[in-house]
Amino acid sequence: NSSTLIISLIVIAIIVSISVISIIVFMSIKGRRREIGILLSIGKSKATIMIQFIIEMLIISAISFTGAYFFSKLIAGNLGQAFGKVAESVIIQNSQFALITGIGIVILLAIVIISCIPIMNKKPRQILSQMNWGDWNEFCKKSIFIYYKKKS
């Protein structure tokens, strides 16, 4: 049955997508530990930092969902033809897309909040003391070298 196959493919795609996005967001936030530690040490609240991450994710998702809206109309017609339906009968309703977008945003917000929990439970000193300063020192050396090279 083609409808069962389509539903199964959608469920698998959603699970894989959530897993991949979770890993990417977690690694992104983990990679920004130094930034989080410095922001906390200069007095920014944990809520402000988390709101910053949420706003960044909402901007990215707004662009993504807008692109997905237009591409889904093209892809839906082609998939409909592949499964023997007339392209005009495969229509993505705006209400369906709004529902999916809302669910996607809720999932993204949950992923961002869950990804922030391990780092936000620490004090700035703990975050900064766990840093690998070798990379930072190497970065500083290269930056100074480039600065002096440009100056001379």
Side-chain angles (χ1 to χ4, degrees):
N1 191 356
S2 65
S3 63
T4 313
L5 175 66
I6 291 172
I7 291 172
S8 300
L9 288 174
I10 290 172
V11 169
I12 291 170
I14 289 171
I15 292 171
V16 170
S17 298
I18 290 172
S19 301
V20 170
I21 290 171
S22 298
I23 292 169
I24 291 170
V25 170
F26 181 76
M27 295 304 290
S28 171
I29 291 175
K30 187 176 179 186
R32 295 172 72 177
R33 285 182 299 183
R34 179 178 294 122
E35 175 188 351
I36 294 169
I38 291 170
L39 289 172
L40 288 172
S41 67
I42 63 172
K44 296 286 184 184
S45 70
K46 293 178 180 181
T48 303
I49 297 169
M50 197 174 301
I51 289 171
Q52 174 186 336
F53 290 145
I54 289 171
I55 289 171
E56 291 172 3
M57 186 60 65
L58 288 175
I59 290 170
I60 292 169
S61 63
I63 295 167
S64 301
F65 284 127
T66 303
Y69 177 75
F70 294 111
F71 286 119
S72 65
K73 290 194 178 273
L74 295 171
I75 293 171
N78 292 336
L79 282 177
Q81 288 176 347
F83 286 103
K85 298 197 177 204
V86 180
E88 290 79 28
S89 68
V90 181
I91 298 171
I92 297 174
Q93 301 293 328
N94 291 338
S95 60
Q96 293 170 331
F97 192 80
L99 176 67
I100 291 171
T101 301
I103 292 169
I105 288 173
V106 169
I107 291 170
L108 288 172
L109 292 176
I111 290 170
V112 170
I113 292 168
I114 291 169
S115 297
C116 286
I117 290 173
I119 294 177
M120 293 298 182
N121 283 336
K122 298 180 181 177
K123 296 188 181 329
R125 176 172 275 173
Q126 291 174 319
I127 295 170
L128 294 173
S129 67
Q130 293 176 347
M131 296 300 304
N132 179 5
W133 291 101
D135 295 338
W136 177 251
N137 290 335
E138 192 64 32
F139 171 76
C140 290
K141 287 177 187 175
K142 288 179 182 176
S143 298
I144 291 171
F145 176 73
I146 291 170
Y147 172 75
Y148 283 116
K149 190 175 180 181
K150 285 182 181 179
K151 198 172 184 180
S152 55

